[in-house]
Each structure stands twice: as C-alpha cells, then as structure tokens.
Amino acid sequence: MDISKNTLPVLKIENLKKSFGDNHVLNGFSLELYKGENLVIMGKSGSGKSVMVKCLMGLMQHDSGTIEIMGNKISQLSQNELNSLRTQVGFLFQGSALYDSMTVRENLEFPLRTHPERLQQKEVLVEEALENVGLKHTVDLMPDELSGGMKRRVALARAIILKPKIIIYDEPTTGLDPITSKEIIQLMSDIQQKYGTSSLIITHDIDCARVIANRIILLIDGINYVEGDFVQLSKSIDKKIQAFFK
Amino acid sequence: MSKASIHLTNKIESFFEEIGELSYFASRFFKELFSRPFEIKELLRQCYNMGNRSLLLVGVTGFILGLVFTLQSRPTLMQFGAESWMPNMVSISIVREIGPVIISLICAGKIGSGMGAELGSMRVTEQIDAMEVSGTNPFKYLVVTRILAATLMLPLLIVFGDAVALLGSAIVENLKGEVSFLLYFNQVAKALSYSDIIPATIKSIFFGFAIGVVGTYKGYNCKKGTVGVGEASNAAVVYTSMLLFIIDFIAVFIADIFFEV
Ligand SMILES: Nc1ncnc2c1ncn2[C@@H]1O[C@H](COP(=O)(O)OP(=O)(O)OP(=O)(O)O)[C@@H](O)[C@H]1O
Ligand SMILES: [Mg+2]
C-alpha cells in the first residue's frame, strides 16, 4: 500500500510522558499515523499500551507531551470540541466494553445519540454496521448471549457506526482462538479497504502484526524503541526486538 | 511515631480525603444537573426501575414493621389503660421516625448497593470509558440520573411503606382490640399534623440523595478488578447507612427548633 508521508499525519503524539506515582509508564513516547495506514504498536503486557491510547482519547490526563488528532491539540480543546472530535475516532476496547444492560441494537445506536442528524437513519446504519461484521441476526440479543468473538465483532460494529476516519484497536485479537482472530483481522482489513480509514492497532499478537501492519513501532521502556516494517524488524539482531519475533 | 499511630493517622487522613472527594462529587452533580442535555428518558427509566424493584421489599418490611410494633406495644399501653392511644402512638412514631429510617436502610441495601455494583462493573469493564469516547457524558447519563431518581423515589417509597405499616398495625388492632378500620384511620388522621409530615418528607428527600450520591460515588470510582466491584457495592451500603443516621440526627435537631411543640 502506498502511504504518502508528504501529507500531514492524522494523528500525532510527541514526547508523551505519564507516570503513576513512582511507576513511570511512558517516558517520551512519539508516533505519527498517516492517512490510510495500518500502524501496529507492539509491547509487552504492562508496557503502557493501553495507557497510551487512553491518553490519546483524553480518558486519562497525560503528564507532558502533545497529542494532535487531525491537527487539533487535544489539551487545548473544550469538552464539547473534544467530544465532537472523538466521534471521528472509532475505538475498539480491549475487553469489547459492550453495555451489558442494552441489546446489540441499543449498543450500536448509543454513539448516534449525540448526532441527531444521523438518528433518523439509525435502522440503516445499524444494519450496515452489523452486516460489515456478519452478525445481522444478533441485533436483538443481549451481550451476555454472545460469545467472546461475537462480542468483539459487535464492538467493532459499534466503533465503525459513525464511519470514523481513524480507528484505534486495543488488542483486537487477545483472548480469541486463532481462527476467530484471523476472522477479526480479516474484518479489520475489509473495513479499512471499504472506508479508507487509518488504523492504530495495539497488539502483542505477532500474526496480527504480520498480516495487517504497514509499519510497526515497538513500545519498550516507555519509548518508541524502534520503528520499521515487519521484515526489517524480524531480521533485527537486538535482543529486545528479537523477543517479539520468536 | 509508633506503627499503630502512623496507621491511625493514615486512616484518619484517608477518611477526610474521602469526605472531600465525596463533596466534590456531589457538587459536580449540582453543576451538571442544570446543564444540557437533560437525560430525561434515562431518568424516567431509573425512577421506574428503582420504584419497581423496591416496591415489594418496602411493602413487606413496612407491613411487618407495623404489625410487630403494634403487637409489642399493646401490653404496655394496656397496663396504663391507654389502648385507645394506639393509633396515635403508632402513626406518629412510624411517620416521624421509624418508617423513614427503616425504609431508607432497606433501600440503601437494595438501591445503593445496586448502584455501586452496576456502575462499578461498568467502570471495570470500561463501559464508562466507552460512553465517554462515543461523545456522551457518562457522569450525566449514569450518575446524575441515578442520584436524581433516588432523591425523587425515596420519599414516595417511604410514603408507601408508612401506609402499609399503618395498615399492618390496623389489622392487629382490628383482630385483637376490635377497633374498626374506619375508627383506626380516623384517629390516625387526627393524630398526624403537618409538623409530623413535613419534616419527615424533607428528611426522606435527603435520605434519597444520600443513597444516590454514595452509591454512585462508590461505583463510579470503583477500583479495577472484580474485588473492586464487591468493595464498591459493600462500601456503598455501609457508608450510606452511617450517613443516614447522621442526617437523621441533624434533621431531628433542626425539626425540633422549627416545629417546637
Ligand atoms: N489507573 C491506573 N492507576 C495506576 N496504575 C495504572 C493505571 N492504569 C495502568 N497502570 C499501570 O500502567 C502500566 C501499564 O498498563 P497498561 O494497561 O497500559 O498495560 P498494557 O501495555 O496495555 O498491557 P496489556 O497488554 O496487558 O493490556 C501498568 O504497570 C499498570 O499497573
Ligand atoms: Mg492493554
């Protein structure tokens, strides 16, 4: 895929720092995500991947550094501006995070609440989103009636219902069997092709990275330790990098 | 300093920290209460849920309360030949004090712990974060509606519970003392004055608010993990119960000043 780095990045993190007391999780992490790109962030469990994306979405306050989403510095936005920017970014949570007191339909309709203009065509949007993930028949089920893989797919449908320009996936395949993982990965690339979104994918699933990544950044010791494509990184002789590709 | 005293100061410190955070949480409720959008639909749903889920429990408790209270007071009143005072005594003590306190405690167990557990598990499974990234203010949608619903519903539940308790008492009087229902409730109506009903109602609004604030505070700020959810729901009940007695004490004090007999 041809990714032109001449354009401005849709998402930019510069020198991000975040600590919890003495636990320095992020020590100056930076990344740039370009239009149409699949950027994979890999890192060990507990290395701060989820913390990084939470700072990115303004769910957590970062200590220092700048975060820009489509040219807007998020720390300078008002709550309303931040909210409207957030609807241009889809977010797939690590544990799916479906609202368990609502049906699948209500789950998918929830992001539309703040968009009165799209509320009128909600039936169509819900149907389209579920069709994309192949789960049209589950529309009236409750989340606890779904399997883990189905939940992940419904969550994906919810993340794309507003047709966001950027999608952030926090460990989309963790906890799923290899076959279901493959299906999810396939869905991710289908959606990317269909809507031309840019994706930021957090994972420690090497197969997922191999299939989907245009570029990989390794998050080690709280910084972007190294950056490159799959082939480059897998040939590296650095022990810390090799550990990921065994 | 010895280990024990350090432990104690830490405890006291975290207690006051908690009070501070709780007050901040409550002030945020008032701030967000009056700003758009008003989540009316969700508020009504919460009101319906709370009322519906607690009605039977409050009814049964109230009924037994009235029944037992009357049965146990009868012998004493009879010794003084004052059985005819039964409706007066029962109605005043139930409406003024026992009804609101007992029913609020029951609701702290039912509604407060429910809020703690529900919001707690939503926090732990990142559903609250998911709401936030989809552009809905979770504090408004989840917290404000629940606190408001509890504040509105508790007085209603207490009125209902009081009524059922008086019915229980009337049944005992009817069977044991051969007092007709008409006579019983006539006397109740005569015995109760505004100075009984108004302070009790105001008090129950505060009880409802306390249940709502503590329950949502504990759930909304739940710590990670399933242990956190259990703790949140447990702490919601314990702290609310304590707070209810403190509010009751203050309320009785103030009512005493305004409605001096
Ligand atoms: N709210 C919080 N309070 C305190 N510490 C936190 C908090 N959230 C995360 N941490 C700490 O930050 C570090 C990174 O956590 P994070 O969840 O980002 O890991 P991760 O890279 O996403 O791991 P995983 O692959 O297991 O999801 C951990 O050491 C964790 O203890
Ligand atoms: Mg994580």
Side-chain angles (χ1 to χ4, degrees):
Chain A
M1 174 174 266
D2 175 41
I3 284 116
S4 80
K5 290 202 176 181
N6 304 326
T7 57
L8 285 172
V10 288
L11 209 154
K12 188 170 164 190
I13 297 179
E14 232 170 358
N15 211 8
L16 185 69
K17 290 187 183 164
K18 174 75 187 170
S19 323
F20 299 98
D22 289 337
N23 182 4
H24 302 287
V25 180
L26 297 173
N27 303 311
F29 181 80
S30 304
L31 71 75
E32 286 174 353
L33 174 71
Y34 293 91
K35 193 168 183 314
E37 181 185 34
N38 290 332
L39 174 61
V40 167
I41 312 287
M42 293 178 74
K44 281 194 301 194
S45 188
S47 58
K49 305 182 297 294
S50 297
V51 168
M52 188 267 289
V53 286
K54 278 184 184 154
C55 291
L56 183 59
M57 293 302 287
L59 291 171
M60 215 179 240
Q61 288 294 321
H62 53 278
D63 299 338
S64 66
T66 54
I67 296 171
E68 276 178 40
I69 300 178
M70 293 186 275
N72 302 287
K73 284 206 175 70
I74 65 157
S75 55
Q76 294 172 356
L77 298 177
S78 71
Q79 191 62 41
N80 284 342
E81 289 168 325
L82 182 62
N83 278 345
S84 74
L85 190 62
R86 275 168 171 166
T87 57
Q88 309 206 37
V89 183
F91 197 118
L92 183 68
F93 281 86
Q94 192 164 348
S96 301
L98 295 178
Y99 309 125
D100 43 30
S101 61
M102 302 182 196
T103 63
V104 169
R105 183 195 303 281
E106 288 163 340
N107 262 284
L108 293 191
E109 282 172 2
F110 199 89
L112 302 174
R113 298 167 24 94
T114 43
H115 293 259
E117 75 284 356
R118 291 194 226 189
L119 217 46
Q120 284 142 21
Q121 29 163 341
K122 63 181 179 188
E123 307 268 311
V124 186
L125 287 172
V126 168
E127 192 160 313
E128 185 186 341
L130 278 180
E131 184 135 37
N132 280 328
V133 298
L135 285 177
K136 256 170 91 174
H137 57 285
T138 64
V139 68
D140 291 314
L141 297 182
M142 297 300 282
D144 54 14
E145 295 172 292
L146 305 174
S147 72
M150 287 160 95
K151 274 188 196 153
R152 205 62 63 89
R153 286 196 277 172
V154 171
L156 183 54
R158 187 178 66 183
I160 59 171
I161 194 154
L162 286 168
K163 312 233 165 62
K165 300 201 171 64
I166 304 170
I167 307 182
I168 299 171
Y169 301 89
D170 193 358
E171 310 208 6
T173 58
T174 302
L176 301 176
D177 64 85
I179 297 170
T180 315
S181 296
K182 280 213 183 78
E183 285 172 10
I184 298 275
I185 295 168
Q186 187 58 45
L187 275 177
M188 288 160 61
S189 51
D190 289 351
I191 286 164
Q192 207 257 351
Q193 304 254 306
K194 192 166 170 185
Y195 299 113
T197 48
S198 323
S199 315
L200 183 66
I201 301 144
I202 315 291
T203 188
H204 38 208
D205 176 353
I206 193 72
D207 291 321
C208 175
R210 189 195 344 258
V211 177
I212 211 154
N214 301 124
R215 198 153 58 92
I216 299 176
I217 292 180
L218 294 188
L219 169 55
I220 302 176
D221 302 330
I223 56 164
N224 38 331
Y225 189 77
V226 70
E227 175 183 330
D229 67 22
F230 190 88
V231 182
Q232 280 171 348
L233 294 186
S234 58
K235 285 186 189 141
S236 164
I237 48 163
D238 185 323
K239 282 230 166 59
K240 280 185 176 170
I241 300 174
Q242 269 183 355
F244 286 92
F245 292 86
K246 263 193 213 129
Chain B
M1 256 197 296
S2 75
K3 242 186 188 162
S5 66
I6 290 176
H7 185 71
L8 189 68
T9 33
N10 282 346
K11 271 259 152 99
I12 294 172
E13 217 167 84
S14 68
F15 174 75
F16 281 106
E17 241 167 55
E18 185 104 10
I19 302 252
E21 271 168 37
L22 188 64
S23 321
Y24 175 73
F25 192 81
S27 70
R28 188 169 167 201
F29 163 78
F30 286 110
K31 220 168 72 194
E32 306 225 2
L33 177 62
F34 298 109
S35 67
R36 279 170 187 284
F38 307 113
E39 306 280 2
I40 303 284
K41 214 170 127 192
E42 180 63 12
L43 171 68
L44 293 177
R45 203 173 70 88
Q46 289 303 329
C47 285
Y48 174 78
N49 273 349
M50 275 176 207
N52 194 28
R53 280 193 213 144
S54 323
L55 204 61
L56 185 67
L57 195 66
V58 168
V60 171
T61 319
F63 187 73
I64 295 173
L65 185 71
L67 211 85
V68 171
F69 189 45
T70 311
L71 274 175
Q72 296 205 323
S73 331
R74 266 186 75 79
T76 319
L77 283 188
M78 265 161 80
Q79 272 179 5
F80 296 103
E83 307 102 287
S84 59
W85 279 90
M86 194 56 135
N88 298 45
M89 193 198 77
V90 171
S91 60
I92 288 178
S93 27
I94 283 185
V95 168
R96 271 198 172 188
E97 185 61 27
I98 305 178
V101 170
I102 297 280
I103 291 163
S104 299
L105 285 174
I106 294 278
C107 289
K110 180 84 185 166
I111 298 175
S113 76
M115 284 181 193
E118 194 184 2
L119 294 189
S121 70
M122 288 187 81
R123 168 65 73 198
V124 168
T125 57
E126 298 183 316
Q127 293 175 48
I128 295 182
D129 288 340
M131 251 177 212
E132 188 144 11
V133 298
S134 69
T136 292
N137 178 346
F139 193 90
K140 265 188 113 76
Y141 188 82
L142 299 171
V143 174
V144 172
T145 53
R146 277 173 174 75
I147 296 180
L148 203 55
T151 312
L152 296 173
M153 291 313 285
L154 211 77
L156 296 181
L157 285 169
I158 287 176
V159 168
F160 171 73
D162 287 352
V164 178
L166 290 177
L167 182 69
S169 164
I171 288 175
V172 173
E173 281 295 282
N174 188 255
L175 293 178
K176 287 226 164 186
E178 283 154 11
V179 180
S180 78
F181 284 101
L182 190 67
L183 181 64
Y184 186 92
F185 281 105
N186 246 331
Q187 216 168 324
V188 166
K190 262 189 228 150
L192 289 176
S193 67
Y194 284 117
S195 64
D196 301 314
I197 296 169
I198 293 172
T201 309
I202 297 173
K203 190 160 79 174
S204 39
I205 293 173
F206 280 97
F207 285 170
F209 180 71
I211 291 174
V213 169
V214 179
T216 51
Y217 167 75
K218 282 290 169 192
Y220 200 74
N221 296 311
C222 176
K223 288 195 200 72
K224 285 276 144 111
T226 35
V227 184
V229 178
E231 268 171 16
S233 129
N234 184 271
V237 181
V238 175
Y239 284 96
T240 312
S241 309
M242 209 169 71
L243 194 58
L244 288 179
F245 282 105
I246 296 173
I247 294 175
D248 190 45
F249 172 71
I250 297 171
V252 169
F253 215 74
I254 294 175
D256 201 46
I257 298 169
F258 282 101
F259 293 90
E260 187 79 68
V261 259

